[in-house]
Amino acid sequence: MRLLRQDHKPAPWVLYLAGGCFWGVQGYFQRITGVLDTEVGYANGIQAGTSYHELSRTDHAETVKVTFNSGVLSLEELLAHYFRIIDPTSINRQGNDRGRQYRTGIYYDRDFPEEGLVRIHRCLEALEKRLGQKPVIEVEALKNWVRAEEAHQDYLERNPGGYCHINLSLADRPLDEDFIDYQKPARETLKKELSPEAYHITQEEGTDPPFSHPYDQLDEPGIYVDIVSGQALFSSRDKFDGGCGWPSFSKPILQESLAYKKDRTLAMERTEVRSQGADSHLGHVFPDGPQNLGGLRYCIDGSALRFIPLSKMEEEGYGKWIPFVEK
């Protein structure tokens, strides 16, 4: 079961992403849950107008306007997808396409939140650290945006066999590939490694008594990982006081990190939340969360989690998630 949240009140943000031929970039982002709309066009040229055949003269970049629900798809997760499908060290070339119109760029309009720009630069700093060199991705205010001709809109939807420099099937693969082949320990091993409470909750679908776990009221920057596998699940940035007695989050760090099952116990129908890597029972998700955060409340048992403070994330091997935590 996959949880789709497009029916919840969206908090739409818009970002313009240049990543080579815009057919493939649009085709990829159309497959990402939380993306509400895409449109191809030309951005940041030297004049107000242009066309597909004038790009080398007007210096516009082939670009995709991405409108996304930030209550479902975080800016950091969106950019992680973007970094995955480009070569961030290549100047004016992506795939077989060469020229200034194929440069990489992140452009934002005047309505884009100031905090979003700070978060973009933090993601780029984290990318630079991973690459060991500075990415050659423009980050600029949007100017001279031109919607592309209709023949280019949704091109790969209408021409499935058309040219694409991006492997679109990547959209169906986890961003966090560390847990694709995760081997869950035997129950006997887990009984030895976990506390009785953690074992009962993660392996036997138990629950913490309300207001009993210290994570309920913990207010410290960091991430919460699956106590069984160590998979990163939730960020302190998305944590809020749900008043229910269990830690509450508006969304996971990555949508793919969780699995969902129908739960008809206790004479009611609920949606159970499990970790994707180790299949640990974590809790439930309810549609009564703050609307400005996406409308959902992930009600999670603290005993199913391990908290790693921001100050220790790098040391414990979770450095790549730091941009998802910092405010």
Side-chain angles (χ1 to χ4, degrees):
M1 176 183 174
R2 188 179 185 187
L3 187 68
L4 302 178
R5 305 201 292 178
Q6 307 289 27
D7 55 333
H8 288 276
K9 184 179 179 181
W13 284 18
V14 178
L15 208 56
Y16 297 76
L17 301 175
C21 175
F22 52 18
W23 293 344
V25 177
Q26 182 182 42
Y28 181 90
F29 279 104
Q30 285 175 330
R31 298 182 177 208
I32 304 303
T33 300
V35 171
L36 304 172
D37 188 48
T38 59
E39 175 183 296
V40 297
Y42 314 115
N44 286 42
I46 59 175
Q47 65 186 51
T50 191
S51 69
Y52 184 74
H53 299 291
E54 296 179 292
L55 297 181
S56 59
R57 179 179 66 80
T58 63
D59 200 40
H60 284 76
E62 290 195 17
T63 301
V64 179
K65 177 183 179 182
V66 181
T67 302
F68 63 103
N69 182 344
S70 61
V72 174
L73 178 66
S74 71
L75 175 61
E76 289 77 14
E77 186 173 0
L78 180 85
L79 291 177
H81 281 288
Y82 172 64
F83 296 153
R84 167 193 253 181
I85 61 173
I86 65 169
D87 179 350
T89 64
S90 179
I91 300 176
N92 302 332
R93 176 177 179 176
Q94 292 295 307
N96 295 322
D97 300 308
R98 301 187 182 193
R100 282 276 298 164
Q101 67 266 42
Y102 300 115
R103 64 189 184 270
T104 55
I106 301 171
Y107 310 120
Y108 53 94
D109 61 24
R110 62 184 180 182
D111 296 324
F112 191 70
E114 183 67 27
E115 61 141 318
L117 186 56
V118 173
R119 289 161 62 183
I120 288 172
H121 283 291
R122 284 180 176 159
C123 288
L124 286 169
E125 289 167 5
L127 178 63
E128 180 178 353
K129 191 170 185 177
R130 293 201 304 274
L131 294 173
Q133 65 181 103
K134 194 173 183 66
V136 290
I137 303 171
E138 294 181 343
V139 180
E140 298 178 354
L142 182 73
K143 62 183 180 182
N144 298 329
W145 167 254
V146 180
R147 176 183 164 88
E149 299 83 349
E150 288 305 315
H152 295 293
Q153 304 295 333
D154 306 313
Y155 182 83
L156 292 178
E157 275 191 9
R158 294 180 289 102
N159 301 276
Y163 166 76
C164 181
H165 70 295
I166 294 170
N167 178 4
L168 297 184
S169 68
L170 283 174
D172 301 320
R173 289 181 61 83
L175 283 167
D176 187 7
E177 297 200 357
D178 294 343
F179 291 88
I180 290 179
D181 299 317
Y182 174 78
Q183 298 297 311
K184 183 176 178 178
R187 281 184 172 262
E188 294 74 20
T189 302
L190 289 175
K191 278 187 176 181
K192 294 176 182 177
E193 294 179 347
L194 300 176
S195 69
E197 295 82 6
Y199 182 87
H200 176 55
I201 287 166
T202 60
Q203 307 305 306
E204 299 174 336
E205 290 75 49
T207 187
D208 287 324
F211 304 102
S212 66
H213 200 281
Y215 290 171
D216 175 35
Q217 294 299 314
L218 181 63
D219 184 19
E220 183 181 346
I223 58 168
Y224 296 81
V225 306
D226 181 357
I227 199 167
V228 175
S229 68
Q231 183 178 17
L233 299 176
F234 297 100
S235 166
S236 60
R237 195 172 66 195
D238 302 312
K239 190 172 185 287
F240 63 94
D241 185 358
C244 56
W246 292 275
S248 298
F249 304 88
S250 60
K251 60 178 174 288
I253 286 180
L254 297 178
Q255 298 174 77
E256 68 202 24
S257 63
L258 301 181
Y260 304 90
K261 292 177 64 176
K262 291 290 185 185
D263 179 0
R264 295 183 173 87
T265 61
L266 303 180
M268 65 179 79
E269 184 171 300
R270 298 176 294 172
T271 301
E272 180 193 2
V273 179
R274 304 185 72 89
S275 67
Q276 194 69 259
D279 192 34
S280 302
H281 170 77
L282 302 172
H284 294 82
V285 59
F286 301 96
D288 58 4
Q291 286 298 305
N292 66 322
L293 299 180
L296 293 185
R297 173 173 59 92
Y298 284 83
C299 183
I300 306 299
D301 290 290
S303 294
L305 304 173
R306 182 170 76 90
F307 176 72
I308 303 171
L310 178 60
S311 60
K312 294 186 177 180
M313 286 175 60
E314 193 75 59
E315 174 188 331
E316 294 205 25
Y318 292 91
K320 65 181 178 181
W321 304 115
I322 289 176
F324 289 74
V325 172
E326 292 178 318
K327 291 188 177 181

